[in-house]
Amino acid sequence: MRVHELAKSVGLQSKDILAIAKKHRLAVKQSASASLDDKEVKKLWPLIEKYKQELKAKEEEEKRRKEEERQRKEEERRRKLEEKQRALEEERKRREEEERRRQQEEEERRRREEEERRKREEEERRRKEEEERKRREEEEERRRAEAALSQRTAQTAPAPQPQKPHAQPQRHEQHPKRHGKPERGPKQPGGATKPVPKLDEEQLKNLLRVMPTTTPPRRADKPARQGKTPDRRRGDKPRPTKIFELEEEITTTRPPAKKGGKAPIVPVLGAPPPKPTPPPQPKARKLTVDQVLTVGQFAEKLGVPATEVMKKILLLGERLTVTQDMTPELMELIAVDFGVELEFVLDTDEYDIAKYLPEEKPENMKRRPPVVTIMGHVDHGKTTLLDRIRKSNIVEGEFGGITQHIGAYHVSTSKGDIVFLDTPGHEAFTSMRARGASVTDIVVLVVAADDGFQPQTVEAIHHAQAAKVPILVAVNKIDVPGADPARIRQEALQYSLVPEEFGGDTIFVDISAKHGKNIDQLLELLALQAEILDLKADPTCNAVGTVIESHVDPQRGAVATILVQKGTLHVGDVFVVGEISGRVRAMIDDRGRQIREAGPSFPAEIIGLDGAPSAGETFVVVPDERIARNIAEKRRERRRRMGQFKPAEHISLEKLGELMAEGKVKELSIVLKADVQGSVEAISDALQRLSSEEIRIRIIHAGVGGITESDVNLADASDAIIIGFNVRPDTNASDLAAQRGVEIKCYRIIYDLLDDVEKAMVGMLEPKFEEKVLGHAEVRQLFKIAKVGTVAGCFVKDGEIPRDAKVRVLRNNVIVYDGKLASLKRYKDDVKVVRAGDECGLGIENFNDIKEGDIIEAYKLEEIAPTLTRTDSTEEQ
C-alpha cells in the first residue's frame, strides 16, 4: 500500500501521513508514492486515529471559538443598535418636546393677541359709550337752554296793543332820511318795548347760535341801571351769548370748482371717521401645494398679497424677494400664521404621471414578443448576426461597419416575433437601466470562437448579471481558422457561465453569422427561453414605453425611437416623455414603412415631439395636450431648479450599518478594480469570506486597470460602491460619480480595505464631520440684565448668525469659550437668523465674561461622506 492510498482510505492528505511518520520516527520515505508494508501500516493506524481525534478536537475548539466570537460580535452589534435606537428615541422625544414647546408658545402668543384684541374692543366700546353719554348730556343741555329762552321771552313780552293803520306810512313820509334804519316802536307805559313776534324752531336755532345780550356792558363810573334796555344810539354793540358749544366733529369737503374759480370749502357736520382696513384673509383653510414655490406663487396660492407674506418672512428672520424659492418648512410656518393647513405633493417625475399610468387587466393579458439585446466585444459579429436574422443589409449603412446608434428591430421568424436591440457595446444598455428602464428580457452574448473573452465581453457579462437578465452565449465565427468553441466554454466557467453540457443553465450555441449556420437553432432557443419567462402585456390600455434613442432630423424635426412596453400607441395620441410633450403625427417601423399603431414590444419611430428626449425616459399617453404641456412644464421647472438630473441616493459604507438595522439592505454590491490580476483575485476571495447571515457581499465586476466611466455607470445602475486597490479614477469618472452620487473608495493597503468593509457591515464605521464657519459678529456694547446675565449688542460683519448654530468667542484671535447661543434677538423680537450688516443682541449659554471688541464666530458641524481615497498607505482622504 502506498502513502497516498492510505491517506485516501483514512480521509487525510498524504502530507498528514508523512508528518505523523516523521513525528514518531518511523522509517517511511517522505513521498506520497512511497510503499508501506503491513507492519508499518499497523504502527501508523493508531497514530492516525489519535491524530484524527486531535484534529477533530481542534476543529471543535475552533468552531466553538468562532461561535463565541460571532456571539460576541452579535452582542456588540445588538448593543450598538440598542444605543443607536435609544439615541434616536431621545432625539425623537427632544423634537417632540421642542414641537410641543413651540405649539405652547404659539398658543400663548395667540392667547395674548386674543386678549389684546378683546381689550381693544372693550376700550372702543367704552369710548363709544362715553361719547354717547356726552352727546345725550349736550342734547339735554340744549333742550334746557331752549326751554329757558322760551320762558324768558314769554315773561318779557306784553299784551299786544292795537295800532293805527296810517301811523307807519306817515312816519316814513316825515323822516325819509332814516329809511333803512331799525324803527323804534312807540313807548309803552312802564318803559316796555314793542312785543317780540313768535319764532319758529329754525329761526330759534339760528338765534341761539349768535344772540345779542339784553343788558349793556357795565361801566366802572356808573352804576348799572335797572329795568332799562340797551340803547343802540349810544354805540352799545351786541356780543354773542355762549349758551352751549357744539361737540360734533366737523369735516370739510371741497366740491368741484367752476372753471377759473376756486372751489369753496363746505362744512359737513357729523361725518364718521374712516374705518380701519381689516387684514387680508386667505381664500381657503386647506391647500395642496408643491414642495418648492416662489414667494409670489405661494402668496397667490394663499390668496393674499405678496407683501403680507414677505412681512411675515421678515419677522421670522429671513429675507426673500418675490421671485425667490421658499422651503417647505418656511411655507408651513407662514401658513400657520394665516390659519391655513398645507399638504405637500410629491415633487417627482413618477408622481406627475402616476394617475395616468394604465392598469393592466388579467383577462386582457396576451403573450408579447421578447426583447433581446445583442452584446459583445467590438468586431465579434453582433450586427452581422442581426443582419443575418433580418435578412437585410444594415451593416453597409453604418460608418466603418461599426454600430453608431441604438437600433430597435422587429423580426418575424418561423419561431415567432422577436424584437432585437443592436447596441454600441453595453454602455447604452447600462445607461438605460440606470434610469430604471429595464426593457431587455434576454441578452445574447456574441463571442468570437477565435478571439475568446475580451475585456469588453467580460464587462458585458457583468452588466447583464447585475441586471439579472438571462444570458444566451452565441459562439460566432466557428468556421474561421483557429476557432475553438470548446475553449470558449471552458473560459466561460470563470465568469459563472456554466454550459448546459457541464450541468449548468447557460445556453451555448455555435453559429456562423456570415454563412448563416445554426441561426435557426439560435432563434428556436430564444423562443424557448421566452416561453419559460412567460412574457405578457395588455394591448387594450393606453401606451407606456421607453425611449431607445432620439435625434433631430433637419426635415422632420425631433424624432424618437420608442419601444412600447404595454398598451397600444396610435397615431394622434397625446403623450409626455420627460420634459417633452407632443402628439403622435406619424409612426414609422424599422423598415421605413408608415404604420397606424404599435403594440407591446413593438419598436417605432415617432414624429411630433417638441424636443429630443433622453434615452431611457418613460413614454406615457395622457388624455389631452393641456395635461401633457403642464406636466412637461412642471418637470422642466423642477429640473431647472435641481439640475438636469438629481443624483440618486446610493449605498455607502457609512450608511450600510443603518440600512442593515432598518432591514433595507441584504446584499452589498461592489465593483472592484486593482492594479494586477493577483490583487483582484486575493481581494475578491477575502471580501467573499466577509459575507454573513445578515448581509452578503456580491462582486458584480472585478477587473484590472483604472476606474472608468463604465465602472461608474455599472455601479449607478446596480446601486453598488466602487473599490479601487492601487488605482485611481480618471477625471471623467470622478465627475460622473459626483453627478450620479456613486461612492468611490481607493486603498493602498488590503487590510484597511477589509477592515473598513467589515466595520461597515457591523455598523461601526463612524461618520466624518466637517466644520463650516457661518459668520462673524463684533461685540460693540454690553448689557447686564437681571436673571438673564450678560447680553452682547453685536454687529454682524460677514455671513450670518443662526439661532441654532454653535458659537465660539474669540479675543485677540484666541478662543476663550465654545458653546451655544442662549438667545438671539433683533430689537425686541426673537429671530432665527441675523445676516451681515444687521445689529442684534445675543446671549451665550453658561458664559457671561464677554468683553467689548470680542468676535463671535458662528459655525456648524456638517456630516460628510468621506471618499476614502488615500494619499499614502495609512491615511484616508
Side-chain angles (χ1 to χ4, degrees), residues 554-588:
Q555 283 80 29
R556 299 182 295 172
V559 179
T561 302
I562 65 161
L563 180 70
V564 180
Q565 292 178 284
K566 56 184 175 182
T568 302
L569 181 65
H570 304 84
V571 173
D573 283 349
V574 179
F575 61 87
V576 61
V577 49
E579 57 185 41
I580 307 298
S581 64
R583 181 187 293 271
V584 181
R585 296 204 308 264
M587 277 196 297
I588 304 170

Side-chain angles (χ1 to χ4, degrees), residues 2-29:
R2 298 186 181 275
V3 173
H4 67 84
E5 294 176 348
L6 177 62
K8 187 176 182 180
S9 64
V10 297
L12 298 176
Q13 295 183 2
S14 300
K15 62 180 182 179
D16 297 331
I17 302 296
L18 295 175
I20 293 172
K22 185 177 180 180
K23 181 179 180 181
H24 293 84
R25 299 181 180 181
L26 298 178
V28 178
K29 185 179 179 181

Side-chain angles (χ1 to χ4, degrees), residues 127-356:
R127 186 183 64 81
K128 289 183 179 180
E129 289 179 354
E130 184 66 20
E131 290 178 354
E132 181 66 20
R133 184 184 62 77
K134 288 182 178 180
R135 190 187 62 80
R136 286 197 301 267
E137 290 177 354
E138 292 166 359
E139 190 70 26
E140 183 66 24
E141 187 177 353
R142 185 185 295 111
R143 284 197 300 268
R144 286 198 301 267
E146 290 177 358
L149 181 61
S150 301
Q151 184 178 2
R152 184 175 181 181
T153 304
Q155 290 176 357
T156 57
Q161 298 293 330
Q163 297 181 2
K164 297 181 179 181
H166 60 273
Q168 189 69 20
Q170 289 177 358
R171 193 169 187 85
H172 277 284
E173 292 174 1
Q174 293 175 1
H175 304 281
K177 292 182 179 181
R178 298 178 61 184
H179 180 73
K181 292 185 179 182
E183 186 67 30
R184 297 181 60 167
K187 280 200 172 186
Q188 301 293 331
T193 60
K194 187 179 179 179
V196 181
K198 189 175 182 180
L199 303 177
D200 59 8
E201 184 177 357
E202 187 65 28
Q203 292 173 338
L204 181 62
K205 285 185 178 181
N206 292 333
L207 180 63
L208 286 175
R209 291 185 181 273
V210 180
M211 187 175 68
T213 60
T214 57
T215 59
R218 182 176 301 175
R219 294 178 59 179
D221 55 343
K222 276 191 176 184
R225 286 191 258 177
Q226 298 294 330
K228 298 289 184 177
T229 58
D231 191 356
R232 295 186 183 180
R233 290 175 298 176
R234 292 162 42 184
D236 294 336
K237 296 182 180 179
R239 58 192 179 95
T241 301
K242 297 182 179 179
I243 300 177
F244 60 89
E245 294 179 359
L246 296 177
E247 294 290 334
E248 290 87 357
E249 294 181 3
I250 301 178
T251 60
T252 58
T253 60
R254 188 185 298 272
K258 296 182 180 180
K259 189 172 182 181
K262 187 175 180 180
I265 298 178
V266 180
V268 180
L269 298 179
K275 295 183 179 179
T277 306
Q281 296 297 325
K283 59 185 179 182
R285 291 300 174 187
K286 187 172 183 180
L287 292 176
T288 301
V289 297
D290 295 333
Q291 291 183 341
V292 179
L293 289 175
T294 64
V295 175
Q297 292 171 344
F298 183 64
E300 184 179 355
K301 287 276 188 181
L302 288 178
V304 300
T307 53
E308 294 294 328
V309 177
M310 294 175 68
K311 287 179 184 177
K312 293 188 178 295
I313 293 175
L314 194 60
L315 291 175
L316 293 174
E318 300 284 344
R319 287 184 179 177
L320 295 179
T321 62
V322 178
T323 57
Q324 285 183 309
D325 293 335
M326 298 176 64
T327 62
E329 295 79 10
L330 184 58
M331 284 191 281
E332 282 185 331
L333 292 175
I334 301 299
V336 168
D337 287 346
F338 282 108
V340 177
E341 181 181 354
L342 291 185
E343 181 180 353
F344 293 101
V345 299
L346 295 176
D347 197 22
T348 60
D349 289 358
E350 292 77 10
Y351 182 81
D352 294 340
I353 60 174
K355 60 183 178 181
Y356 302 112

Side-chain angles (χ1 to χ4, degrees), residues 840-867:
C840 65
L842 58 85
I844 301 177
E845 284 187 4
N846 304 322
F847 185 73
N848 291 319
D849 187 23
I850 308 175
K851 307 291 185 183
E852 292 186 9
D854 288 350
I855 301 297
I856 308 298
E857 183 179 68
Y859 69 96
K860 67 178 180 179
L861 297 177
E862 289 186 342
E863 183 177 346
I864 60 173
T867 59

